[in-house]
């Protein structure tokens, strides 16, 4: 829900802050006071195109900020618009694109009446509305579709691989054979490189070994012989000074290391053989390893890993026929299961859609659209398999005729914004009351009074009775997770009793949604949970628009103005008080404070009768949710 809205330097607004309430929020004011600017500001927050013309004259930039509550969390959205037409958007103080704001809009606000954000114009949303009205469970279909899609994707992958499988199998076999014939060993290239270096310098190595051995053992000045004389003198020094004793103790270790060195030099020198053939063999092996590393490496370890991967791939290619056959069986079973649950859901939808259409016609009649005909049309031909989805195999579109003699046409082709807004209001009321009826149906019986004379034996209340039930539990159920609803022009072309029904429907919607409604009708304004007055005045040569929440006394004055105009008399105030009391009865008795129940058909002073209301007031056959044509 929209909890807080701040607008600065936008059009005729210098600075406005509004804290909205749950339920029905009504905004009223004189024509031209700036009510539509608030709606436009919300639209900008939700990604609408920004223009520098919206910035207040003489200012550099406009700012719109809002706090939404969704999913138990607060979401701060800010939009800044410069006089040059550039804009920046922020979500929780992080930069965001206008596209990101549009993505958020579906779960934050739905705006109705000015053609913006009118999701009802998109036929793809109609199926969900039918499901919501009927309380239909799409989870089994969604699960079956996920399984079908998983099988189809895996099967497609294997079949695509099978197209080039023969050529691929030949290539894999050739590459694997090349690597296996090489009989690669870990770190073999490093060992051969070291061996090549020694063989390339064989004569020098042999000479150095011989000279070093001679210096240690065989020459006249052999190191080991000379060291014998040294150790004897050091021993004599140690007898005189104990500080030489550690060196005497280390004598045998040093002698042993020098003897080991002499022995290794002799053996190593004897093994060195200047063999051009062996060197050539090593050079050829290193060349082979380098070629394989360039092709499969770049390291020898990676070439060996590639060999192991090719072994696995060849095994898969040789056994792919069995896997394809098994997946085809799984896919056929998943397809049958999906069609079974989808067809069952489709049958339920077609059954529910009849009740949906009849109740919508009934509500539209209550909203001063007495001649409206409504139909839910399903696809006649089977949906192609690529168009199957988690919602099943149905395609649905709403068809409407708002005037006698006119054929049913798609909802998106309705020209009147007021008609579209009221039809949307009826649909939202039905889906909201459907959710409430599902949760409350077993809590209290439907009485004859609730059903509008229908009688308890029918088993389900009419649309009007369900709306009344929803209105009765409104104080206990206030939705903040559902998208907020903004209605503009919902009162176009109506008045009197029809306006009263529209107001009651809006208040009922407020039990499950946050509703913001701009209206010029006192009958609707009187139903508000929170009433905001939008005023325009001129200060120091500049137009200023302000918004304030009205208290009880302020509501009486404003509704009196809406009833009678600029001159508010005591009679108008009395009618305003009566209208407010009638629409907000005592919770304990349902009777207006200080008054008895109003007689059927009676009106507060100032309420008018809309054209055609006498026909609307005629008794209509009640329609229950489970009724049949």
């Amino acid at each position: 829900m929209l909890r807080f809205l701040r607008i600065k330097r936008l059009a005729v607004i210098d600075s406005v802050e509004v804290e909205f309430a749950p339920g029905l929020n009504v905004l009223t004011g004189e024509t031209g006071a700036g009510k539509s600017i608030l709606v436009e500001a919300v639209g900008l927050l939700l990604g609408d195109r920004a223009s520098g013309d919206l910035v207040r004259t003489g200012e550099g930039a406009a700012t719109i900020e809002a706090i939404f509550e969704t999913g138990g969390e607060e979401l701060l959205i800010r939009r800044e618009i410069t006089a040059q037409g550039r804009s920046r958007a922020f979500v929780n103080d992080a930069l965001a694109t206008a596209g990101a704001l549009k993505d958020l809009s579906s779960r934050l606000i739905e705006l109705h009446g000015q053609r913006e954000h009118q999701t009802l114009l998109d036929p793809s949303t109609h199926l969900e509305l039918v499901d919501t009205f009927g309380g239909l469970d799409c989870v089994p279909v969604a699960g079956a579709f996920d399984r079908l899609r998983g099988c189809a994707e895996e099967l497609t992958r294997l079949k695509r691989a099978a197209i080039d499988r023969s050529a691929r199998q030949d290539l894999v076999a050739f590459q694997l054979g090349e690597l296996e014939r090489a009989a690669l060993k870990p770190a073999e290239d490093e060992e051969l490189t070291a061996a090549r270096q020694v063989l390339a310098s064989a004569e020098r190595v042999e000479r150095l070994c011989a000279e070093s051995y001679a210096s240690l053992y065989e020459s006249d000045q052999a190191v080991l012989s000379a060291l014998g004389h040294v150790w004897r003198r050091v021993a004599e020094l140690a007898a005189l000074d104990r500080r030489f004793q550690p060196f005497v103790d280390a004598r045998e270790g040093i002698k042993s290391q020098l003897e080991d060195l002499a022995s290794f030099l002799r053996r190593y020198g004897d093994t060195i053989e200047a063999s051009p053939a062996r060197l050539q063999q090593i050079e050829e092996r290193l060349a082979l390893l380098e070629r394989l590393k360039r092709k499969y490496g770049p390291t020898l370890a990676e070439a060996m890993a590639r060999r192991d991967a090719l072994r696995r791939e060849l095994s898969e290619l040789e056994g792919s026929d069995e896997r394809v056959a098994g997946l085809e069986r799984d896919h056929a079973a998943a397809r049958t299961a999906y069609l079974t649950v989808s067809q069952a859901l489709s049958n339920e939808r077609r059954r529910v859609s009849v009740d949906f259409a009849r109740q919508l016609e009934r509500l539209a009649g209550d909203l001063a659209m007495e001649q409206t005909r409504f139909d839910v049309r399903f696809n006649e031909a089977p949906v192609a398999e690529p168009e199957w989805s988690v919602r099943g195999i149905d395609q649905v579109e709403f068809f409407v005729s708002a005037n006698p003699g006119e054929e049913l046409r798609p909802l998106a082709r309705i020209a009147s914004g007021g008609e579209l807004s009221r039809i949307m209001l009826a649909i939202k009321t039905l889906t909201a009351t459907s959710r409430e009826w599902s949760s409350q149906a077993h809590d209290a019986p439907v009485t004859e009074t609730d059903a509008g004379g229908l009688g308890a034996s029918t088993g389900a209340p009419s649309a009007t009775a369900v709306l009344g039930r929803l209105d009765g539990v409104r104080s206990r159920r206030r939705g903040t997770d559902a998208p907020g609803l903004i209605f503009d022009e919902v009162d176009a072309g109506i008045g009197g009793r029809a306006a009263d029904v529209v107001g009651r429907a809006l208040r009922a919607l407020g039990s499950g949604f946050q509703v913001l409604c701009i209206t010029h009708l006192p009958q609707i304004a009187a139903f508000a949970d929170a009433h905001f007055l939008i005023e325009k005045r001129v200060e120091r040569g500049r137009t200023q628009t302000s918004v304030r929440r009205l208290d009880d006394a302020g509501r009486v004055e404003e509704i009196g103005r809406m009833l009678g105009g600029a001159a508010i008399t005591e009679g108008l105030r009395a009618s305003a008080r009566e209208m407010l009391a009638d629409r907000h009865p005592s919770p304990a008795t349902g009777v207006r404070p200080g008054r008895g129940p109003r007689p059927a058909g009676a009106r507060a002073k100032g309420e008018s009768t809309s054209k055609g209301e006498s026909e609307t007031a005629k008794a209509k056959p009640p329609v229950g949710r489970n009724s049949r044509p």
Side-chain angles (χ1 to χ4, degrees), residues 551-592:
D551 57 16
D552 291 344
R555 294 190 70 182
V556 170
E557 291 295 312
E558 174 61 7
I559 291 177
R561 180 197 66 78
M562 298 172 75
L563 285 169
I568 306 175
T569 66
E570 284 303 321
L572 291 173
R573 291 188 181 94
S575 293
R577 292 188 188 96
E578 182 180 2
M579 188 177 292
L580 287 167
D582 184 62
R583 285 155 177 78
H584 297 273
S586 168
T589 64
V591 178
R592 294 165 287 147

Side-chain angles (χ1 to χ4, degrees), residues 191-514:
E191 294 175 1
L192 290 176
T193 299
R196 180 182 62 182
Q197 184 175 347
V198 171
L199 287 175
S201 307
E203 293 181 358
R204 184 184 176 193
V205 170
E206 187 176 6
R207 176 176 55 79
L208 289 173
C209 287
E211 291 176 353
S212 297
Y213 179 79
S215 297
L216 287 172
Y217 257 118
E218 294 181 343
S219 67
D220 296 337
Q221 299 172 339
V223 172
L224 288 174
S225 299
L227 278 176
H229 300 293
V230 172
W231 290 126
R232 284 194 295 272
R233 290 178 176 81
V234 171
E236 292 178 6
L237 288 171
L240 299 173
D241 189 341
R242 301 299 300 172
R243 286 179 292 180
F244 285 95
Q245 188 60 40
F247 299 102
V248 175
D249 296 339
R251 175 182 56 187
E252 293 302 322
I254 295 173
K255 179 181 179 183
S256 176
Q257 288 181 344
L258 289 174
E259 289 175 347
D260 289 345
L261 175 59
S263 177
F264 180 75
L265 287 170
R266 185 175 59 183
R267 291 195 310 271
Y268 187 80
D270 292 342
T271 59
I272 295 299
E273 180 181 357
S275 172
R278 173 60 181 161
L279 181 61
Q280 180 65 26
Q281 183 182 11
I282 291 176
E283 292 285 2
E284 291 175 355
R285 178 66 177 176
L286 282 174
L288 173 63
L289 295 180
E290 287 300 318
R291 181 174 62 82
L292 293 177
K293 287 195 294 183
R294 284 194 302 271
K295 188 174 181 179
Y296 302 107
T299 66
L300 186 62
E302 290 174 326
M304 296 175 70
R306 176 62 176 162
R307 176 196 62 194
D308 296 338
L310 288 170
R311 283 174 181 166
R312 292 191 296 271
E313 185 178 357
L314 185 60
S315 176
E316 290 179 359
L317 288 170
E318 290 172 348
S320 61
D321 288 339
E322 293 79 3
R323 284 200 309 280
V324 169
L327 267 176
E328 285 178 339
R329 290 191 296 270
D330 293 343
H331 180 264
R335 188 177 187 277
T336 300
Y338 173 77
L339 287 174
T340 299
V341 294
S342 294
Q343 189 60 55
L345 178 61
S346 179
N347 294 338
E348 280 297 297
R349 282 170 173 160
R350 293 170 191 269
R351 180 187 65 80
V352 165
S353 66
V354 176
D355 291 340
F356 181 72
R358 292 184 63 186
Q359 292 198 34
L360 187 62
E361 289 176 355
R362 171 98 178 239
L363 280 177
D366 289 339
L367 299 175
M369 298 178 65
E370 296 83 357
Q371 304 299 326
T372 297
R373 291 181 296 132
F374 189 87
D375 189 25
V376 181
R377 295 190 179 178
F378 288 78
N379 49 294
E380 296 180 358
V383 176
E385 187 165 343
E387 297 179 11
W388 293 356
S389 71
V390 293
R391 303 203 70 88
I393 56 175
D394 291 320
Q395 291 179 341
V396 166
E397 186 169 5
F398 296 160
F399 278 65
V400 177
S401 172
N403 300 295
E406 295 294 328
E407 64 180 5
L408 289 163
R409 295 180 180 179
L411 182 63
R413 293 171 60 184
I414 292 180
S416 167
E419 288 175 341
L420 179 62
S421 195
R422 276 176 280 161
I423 289 174
M424 187 281 317
L425 172 59
I427 290 175
K428 287 295 181 182
T429 300
L430 279 182
T431 54
T433 54
S434 175
R435 284 191 291 267
E436 291 295 336
W437 170 250
S438 298
S439 63
Q440 298 289 329
H442 302 292
D443 294 344
V446 179
T447 66
E448 186 171 347
T449 302
D450 289 334
L454 185 62
S457 62
T458 58
S462 67
T464 305
V466 175
L467 190 147
R469 174 67 59 78
L470 177 57
D471 198 27
V473 300
R474 64 195 306 275
S475 62
R476 301 195 304 273
R477 299 175 67 88
R478 289 293 177 89
T480 58
D481 289 341
L485 303 173
I486 297 181
F487 292 98
D488 193 8
E489 288 190 3
V490 73
D491 56 4
I494 64 173
R497 189 192 61 81
D500 191 78
V501 174
V502 169
R504 189 172 179 223
L506 288 169
R507 188 176 71 167
L509 275 180
S511 65
F513 303 86
Q514 183 195 44

Side-chain angles (χ1 to χ4, degrees), residues 13 101 114 135-136 171 194 270 285 296 338 528 535 592 595:
I13 296 176
L101 296 183
Q114 296 293 336
L136 303 181
L171 176 62
D270 292 342
R285 178 66 177 176
Y296 302 107
Y338 173 77
E535 297 176 296
R592 294 165 287 147
R595 304 175 185 267

